[in-house]
């Protein structure tokens, strides 16, 4: 109070001194000082200290005080010999005080009241913007917009009060200032605008599906929501549980919570199920509950919000190297839409209102690049400072600023981009039908703080959504308020009953949207930080990450297959596995000895079950240490591996991500050498980070972003390989998993200074916003976020650990063997399929988990990881005979097929579970091995062109909406359907059969021949999995044997399924099945097979020698012609064509010829099945088979 009075007195003094000057200017200065001191006045308003002279003026102001109030110095009597004090000085009389009060009333109070009245009168003539289509953000009048957004001055504003067009002119001028005249200066100070909540009527009118969460964390309340300038509208009146304290909260229509009395806070979560405890991990452990369901948010961004936190500074169709090179782009109208003609656009966004999160980025750069005809990139970054960006995958960088390197002209692309200068955001539109695919303009709000990034967008209204992994979820993702958390974590896959899909082993921030007519597109956010992706009924998507940048890539398809091909073209095509990797694999955690390993392996082979690869889990190691084997329990392991090699088999051991850190110096080289090389992840003190996994004492982790990890890891693998000649690597626990949450003592949070990557320990371990990760702690069962890597803090690179582990291991395997690497990893990230395969982790031995593996397999093919499978019969728990029988049938058609389980479960190899499982496994696996030429060709297509191996039905029938949600049956390629039995006690299965002709693989008869898709019930005996072949398909096969190598030596056979028009086609890729770069270097052969009607082989002259010979044999030019042509021959095909089997041949068949020579055949008139065997046709030349 006293300090406020002091400022008022000084203001009066300023005015009095300026009486010889401009009184209006003096009054303005005085008033400004008064306003500036209002906060101090409030601060001291409750002071009860007795005022003294020094409270009113400082000692330096004595002269001024005396001059102003007529006070004179008192002269002391020399005889008193004392110094006079102020208490001896005269005091001002009552007249002086009255004069001062009068002056204050006339020159301060009355003018202030008058000005306030004028302001209020002026404001009343400028209405509030209700719909966001007027001037300024939604909920602001033009007057409020002008008053609060005074970052930039403009002299024209001062003229509006007296202007005849005041209202309209101000609207337009304000917009021009916001959009075109603000220079992109760098300001680190926080904006001064305070958000204002819109009216309740405006908020309640917004449909629930279009409400984007403004308060995604805990503790939302009406007051906190409106402080963010957002709408607070509870949707229902209900009783909810407040998880903060376990008491009930009754929510009324105004959104206020009334608790049962306990004198505790009643803050509630922004969603319908209330708040959460800070230590949700403890609650979950105690109550066994998941996170509260996501639903319509109570607190959401206002409708029509033109830019809640940011506004455009400039949009240019020219390439702008830096914000310093920015040239302002003039506005032609208020709703100008920009469409580039040069293949790029650059825009700048200026922060005008602070977000609720610390360290907002004041100036953002938005780069739009038309990279290819089908691919678009939109990147939003800090315009003035570099931010962390993931170093992997290494996406191509196209320099579109140089015309000679421009890959596409915008007018030739499948899309266009619109950026509305009046609204923050952009829209991606498909040119062919003018459909908007992604529209972030005034949708939710763009938030770009240091540790909180958020962007929302509307999607096509009839979209089916796929991707966003890794989660146990349906293939067709629901959009009814679903949250998908991406933060790699060692967790048991579980099908969440609520809408929170908790984080699993991998992170793939990529989705594909398919519309009802089959048109598809994909969106990939290249960001490796922890994030969550929200799907809501708009349909709409929200990306919410806690670091990095917003780097969006759009893929325009337009078919689902093309979307995946375009995505893998960016992140890396899948690697080409060796053929033996496509055989059957056998493993268990709990063999415990080499003798037991050998027994199981031999029993499976003796049962006639094909087997290519024997694995060992952790128990082969010495004390759980990588790159060792136990010399006692696994004595003779090198010799056992050599025996496998002699049988044409292979061996794969487990190699965990962690290295033992507790062995005595000099006794464990992997630790000693890693320590010397400085290769381990470091703690915040610069020492190796120490945790605990399977090692006896402690564990340290190599930093695979460090270049020195490559020679280090290669050396360790080479040392083991010299002892045990393994053929592939199984890398596990590489999320990384940790038995501690950080170190044994937790994670450091006491550091007050920023670390080497610019953030304090506490900021990394406990960021301002925490996605609902499992354990409610980023470091839960993993490494501390403050740990240091070569590429950045663990906070940033956590999701890349398993990916970089796979990259380095793949390289090491290539160097070791000089052949194709075979690596299977649990942790994954975008681009993982370029280096390794994946299995779905610790599935439980349940019918539900078995069924959930189908969408998991299909999703990873969409992610570009076609070599994927699940533990056949389940990993955790005890399987049953029926379950394992059905799972063995399904698992035979996983692209990666392995039986594996835990150490505390029963034996579940096929022989251990008895005759039914043996019969099911043998029958299904023999079919798999017979289809190896077809399967291997599919993997080649994935490697060369980005195709999928296992694919959903809608990939082949995108225009059939009934296929969009099917995830209980799937295809190999385009023409082979697998329909597993996924329910207990069933001997028949209902399947959706798309349009066209479909044949039963076993009976060769037509199952369906319809112009539309429909449901069909298929028989499924206990030992049989239903399989169908699509009409129009030619599938290359071989007679199966016990290994892939032995099968490879048999003659090729063709299974032909005739289409309605008596046509079919197929291809065969052939190489030496294990060498490096065979496709890239042309060391392969490629054959095409074609079935047609008539006397002319497609693509050949009708008077060729082969056809003339056929005419002489048949006496007619009419009939069906099956031809095989080598379109590329880099290596010879060492086996010949031995048989042709054709389904759907309209009889009768009178004769068959092969290369002009009559050959024997058999024909079943009932099933219309033609068999031509005992052929020996050279596949390195053209062959022609005809029947009539």
């Amino acid at each position: 109070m006293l300090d406020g009075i002091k400022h008022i007195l000084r203001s009066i003094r300023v005015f009095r001194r300026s009486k010889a000057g401009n009184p209006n200017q003096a009054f303005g200065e005085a008033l400004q000082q008064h306003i500036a001191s209002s906060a101090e006045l409030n601060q001291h308003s409750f002071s009860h200290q007795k005022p003294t002279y020094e409270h009113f003026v400082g000692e330096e102001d004595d002269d001024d005080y005396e001059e102003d109030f007529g006070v004179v110095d008192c002269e002391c009597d020399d005889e008193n010999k004392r110094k006079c004090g102020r208490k001896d000085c005269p005091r001002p009389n009552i007249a002086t005080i009255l004069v001062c009060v009068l002056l204050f009333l006339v020159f301060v109070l009355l003018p202030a009241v008058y000005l306030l009245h004028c302001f209020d009168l002026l404001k009343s003539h400028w209405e509030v913007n209700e719909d966001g289509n007027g001037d300024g953000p939604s909920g602001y009048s033009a007057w409020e917009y002008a008053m609060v957004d005074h970052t930039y001055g403009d002299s024209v504003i001062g003229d509006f009060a007296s202007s005849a067009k005041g209202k309209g002119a101000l609207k337009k001028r304000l917009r021009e200032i916001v959009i075109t005249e603000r220079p992109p200066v760098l300001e680190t100070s926080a904006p001064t605008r305070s958000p204002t909540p819109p009216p309740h009527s405006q908020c309640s009118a917004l449909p629930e599906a279009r409400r984007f969460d403004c308060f995604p964390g805990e503790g939302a309340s009406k007051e906190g929501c409106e402080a963010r300038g957002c709408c607070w509208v509870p949707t229902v009146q209900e009783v909810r549980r407040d998880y903060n304290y376990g008491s009930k909260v009754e929510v009324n229509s105004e959104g206020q919570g009334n608790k049962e009395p306990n004198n505790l806070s009643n803050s509630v979560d922004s969603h319908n199920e209330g708040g959460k405890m800070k230590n949700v991990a403890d609650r979950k452990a105690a109550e066994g509950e998941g996170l509260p369901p996501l639903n319509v948010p109570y607190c959401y961004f206002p409708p029509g919000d033109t830019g809640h936190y940011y506004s455009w500074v400039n949009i240019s169709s020219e390439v702008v190297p830096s914000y310093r090179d920015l040239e302002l782009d003039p506005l032609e109208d208020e709703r100008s839409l920009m469409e580039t003609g040069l293949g790029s656009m650059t825009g700048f966004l200026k922060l005008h209102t602070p977000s609720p999160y610390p360290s907002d980025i004041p100036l953002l750069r938005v780069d739009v690049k038309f990279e290819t005809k089908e691919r678009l990139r939109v990147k939003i970054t800090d315009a003035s400072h570099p931010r962390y960006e993931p170093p992997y995958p290494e996406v191509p960088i196209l320099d579109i600023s140089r015309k000679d390197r421009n890959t596409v002209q915008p007018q030739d692309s499948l899309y266009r981009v619109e950026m509305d200068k009046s609204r923050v955001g952009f829209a991606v539109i498909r040119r062919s039908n003018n459909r908007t695919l992604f529209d972030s303009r005034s949708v939710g709000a763009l938030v770009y703080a240091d540790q909180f990034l958020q962007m929302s967008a509307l999607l096509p209204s009839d979209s089916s959504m796929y991707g966003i992994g890794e989660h146990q979820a349906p293939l067709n993702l629901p959009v009814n308020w679903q949250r998908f958390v991406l933060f790699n974590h060692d967790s048991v896959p579980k099908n969440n009953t609520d809408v929170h899909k908790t984080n699993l082993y991998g992170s793939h921030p990529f989705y594909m949207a398919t519309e009802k007519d089959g048109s598809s597109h994909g969106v990939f956010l290249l960001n490796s930080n922890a994030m969550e992706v929200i799907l809501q009924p708009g349909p709409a998507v929200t990306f919410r990450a806690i670091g990095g940048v917003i780097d969006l890539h759009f893929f325009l398809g337009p078919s689902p297959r093309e979307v995946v091909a375009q995505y893998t073209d960016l992140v890396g095509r899948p690697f080409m596995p060796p053929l033996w990797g496509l055989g059957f694999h056998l493993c268990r955690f709990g063999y415990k000895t080499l003798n037991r390993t050998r027994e199981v392996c031999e029993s499976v082979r003796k049962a006639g079950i094909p087997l290519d690869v024997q694995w060992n889990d952790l128990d082969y190691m010495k004390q759980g240490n990588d790159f060792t084997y136990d010399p006692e329990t696994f004595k003779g392991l090198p010799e056992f591996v050599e025996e496998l090699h002699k049988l044409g088999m292979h061996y794969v051991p487990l190699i965990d991500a962690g290295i033992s850190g507790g062995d005595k110096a000099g006794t464990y080289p992997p630790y000693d050498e890693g320590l010397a090389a400085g290769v381990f992840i470091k703690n915040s003190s610069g020492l190796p980070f120490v945790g605990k996994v399977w090692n006896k004492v402690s564990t340290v982790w190599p930093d695979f972003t460090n270049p020195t990890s490559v020679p280090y890891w290669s050396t360790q693998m080479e040392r083991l390989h010299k002892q045990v000649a393994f053929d592939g690597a199984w890398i596990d626990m590489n999320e990384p998993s940790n038995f501690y949450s950080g170190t044994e003592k937790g994670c450091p949070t006491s550091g007050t200074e920023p670390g080497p990557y610019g953030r304090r320990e506490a900021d990394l371990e406990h960021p301002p916003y925490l996605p609902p990760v499992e354990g409610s702690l980023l470091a839960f069962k993993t490494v501390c976020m403050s740990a240091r890597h070569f590429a950045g803090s663990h906070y940033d690179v956590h999701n890349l650990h398993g990916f970089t582990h796979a990259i380095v291991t793949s390289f090491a395997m290539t160097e070791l063997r000089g052949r194709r690497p075979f690596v299977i990893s649990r942790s994954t990230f975008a681009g993982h399929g370029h280096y390794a395969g994946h299995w779905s982790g610790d599935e439980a031995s349940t019918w539900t988990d078995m069924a959930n593996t189908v969408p998991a397999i299909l999703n990873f093919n969409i992610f570009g990881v076609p070599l994927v499978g699940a533990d056949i019969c389940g990993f955790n728990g005890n399987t049953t005979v029926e379950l394992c029988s059905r799972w063995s049938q399904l698992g035979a058609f996983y692209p990666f097929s392995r039986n594996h389980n835990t150490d505390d479960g029963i034996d579940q190899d096929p022989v251990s579970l008895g005759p039914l499982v043996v019969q099911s496994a043998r029958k299904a696996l023999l079919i798999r091995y017979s289809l190896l030429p077809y399967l291997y060709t599919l993997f080649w297509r994935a490697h060369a062109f980005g195709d999928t191996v296992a694919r959903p039905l809608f990939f082949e029938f995108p225009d059939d909406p009934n296929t969009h949600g099917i995830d209980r049956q799937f295809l190999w390629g385009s023409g082979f359907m697998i329909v597993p039995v996924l329910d207990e006690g069933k001997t028949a299965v209902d399947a959706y059969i798309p349009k066209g002709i479909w044949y039963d693989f076993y009976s060769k008869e037509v199952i369906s021949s319809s112009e539309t898709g429909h449901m069909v019930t298929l028989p499924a005996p206990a030992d049989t999995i239903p399989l169908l072949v699509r009409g129009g398909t030619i599938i290359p096969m071989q007679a199966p044997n016990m290994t892939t190598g032995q099968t490879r030596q048999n003659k090729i056979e063709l299974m032909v399924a005739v289409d309605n028009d008596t046509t079919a086609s197929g291809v065969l890729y052939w190489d030496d099945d294990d060498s490096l770069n065979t496709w890239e270097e042309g060391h392969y052969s490629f054959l095409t097979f074609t079935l047609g009607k008539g006397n002319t082989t497609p693509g050949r002259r009708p008077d060729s020698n082969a056809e003339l010979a056929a005419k002489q044999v048949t006496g007619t030019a009419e009939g069906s012609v099956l031809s095989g042509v080598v379109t590329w021959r880099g290596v010879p095909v060492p086996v010949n064509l031995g048989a042709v089997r054709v389904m759907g041949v309209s009889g009768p068949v009178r004769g068959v010829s092969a290369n002009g020579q009559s050959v024997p055949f058999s024909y079943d008139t009932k099933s219309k099945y033609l068999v031509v065997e005992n052929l020996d046709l050279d596949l390195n030349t053209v062959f022609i088979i005809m029947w009539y």
Side-chain angles (χ1 to χ4, degrees), residues 174-233:
L174 283 174
R175 188 174 305 284
E176 290 174 351
I177 294 170
V178 172
I179 302 298
T180 63
E181 296 192 0
R182 293 183 176 181
V185 295
L186 295 179
E187 295 185 4
T188 57
S189 60
T192 56
R193 177 186 295 180
S194 299
T196 302
H200 185 273
S201 58
Q202 179 181 348
C203 291
S204 58
L206 185 66
E208 292 182 353
R210 297 295 180 93
R211 298 181 180 182
F212 292 88
D213 200 342
C214 180
F215 209 126
E218 300 176 8
S221 64
K222 185 175 186 293
E223 293 76 14
C225 177
E226 292 182 346
R228 299 184 178 196
C230 292
C231 296
W232 177 266
V233 180

Side-chain angles (χ1 to χ4, degrees), residues 403-465:
K403 293 183 179 179
D404 59 326
R405 299 177 65 179
N406 224 352
T407 59
V408 62
Q409 292 297 319
Q411 61 270 20
D412 298 329
S413 65
L414 300 183
Y415 52 86
R416 72 175 191 271
V417 178
E418 292 183 356
M419 300 173 75
D420 187 339
K421 292 181 177 180
S422 65
R423 298 179 292 169
V424 170
F426 61 93
V428 179
I429 301 169
R430 185 188 295 118
R431 286 186 183 274
S432 62
N433 59 5
N434 207 36
R435 190 98 192 258
T436 301
L437 306 180
F438 187 97
D439 192 351
S440 66
R441 296 170 298 181
S442 298
V443 177
L446 174 66
V447 186
Y448 212 117
D450 180 45
Q451 291 182 270
F452 187 90
L453 281 64
Q454 178 173 287
M455 171 177 277
S456 301
L458 295 174
L459 308 176
S461 59
D462 58 352
S463 296
S464 295
M465 301 291 292

Side-chain angles (χ1 to χ4, degrees), residues 935-949:
L935 180 61
Y936 190 67
T937 299
L938 290 176
F939 270 97
W940 164 76
R941 290 191 61 87
H943 173 66
F945 308 112
D947 228 338
T948 53
V949 174

Side-chain angles (χ1 to χ4, degrees), residues 579-594:
L579 179 67
W580 60 263
L582 305 185
F584 179 53
H585 302 244
L586 188 62
C587 186
R588 181 179 180 181
F589 178 27
Y591 284 142
K592 298 183 179 178
T593 67
L594 177 59

Side-chain angles (χ1 to χ4, degrees), residues 1-16 26-44 53-58 60-61 65 68-69 104 108:
M1 178 72 178
L2 299 177
D3 286 344
I5 294 174
K6 178 176 70 175
H7 280 288
I8 293 174
L9 294 176
R10 286 181 175 175
S11 299
I12 296 174
R13 181 172 65 249
V14 170
F15 171 72
R16 288 184 60 193
F27 175 76
E29 293 177 1
L31 180 60
Q32 184 63 34
Q33 290 192 31
H34 169 62
I35 295 174
S37 64
S38 61
E40 298 181 28
L41 186 146
N42 291 333
Q43 179 180 356
H44 296 281
Y53 178 88
E54 286 80 1
H55 281 134
F56 290 88
V57 297
E60 72 278 8
D61 295 329
Y65 179 88
D68 294 338
F69 286 89
F104 176 76
V108 178

Side-chain angles (χ1 to χ4, degrees), residues 636-686:
L637 180 60
E639 292 76 14
F640 172 69
V641 173
E642 288 306 314
E643 293 173 13
L644 294 177
H645 289 163
K646 291 177 182 178
L647 295 170
M649 297 176 62
H650 296 77
Y651 178 73
V652 174
L654 173 72
I655 302 176
D656 270 341
I659 298 295
S660 174
D663 292 83
K664 186 178 180 180
T667 63
Y668 184 52
Y671 177 74
D672 297 331
E673 295 171 5
L675 196 63
V679 77
F680 297 127
I681 297 173
K682 296 175 175 57
N683 60 24
S684 56
S685 300

Side-chain angles (χ1 to χ4, degrees), residues 575-580 814 817-821 936 943 1048 1069-1084 1131:
F575 81 106
M576 184 67 185
L579 179 67
W580 60 263
T814 302
R817 298 180 67 243
R819 298 181 182 179
R820 296 178 199 167
Y936 190 67
H943 173 66
R1048 189 74 157 170
Y1069 173 84
W1070 187 282
D1071 62 16
D1072 71 359
D1073 71 50
D1074 202 6
S1075 292
L1076 295 167
N1077 304 319
T1078 54
W1079 157 248
E1080 292 79 2
E1081 297 175 2
H1083 299 156
Y1084 67 94
V1131 296

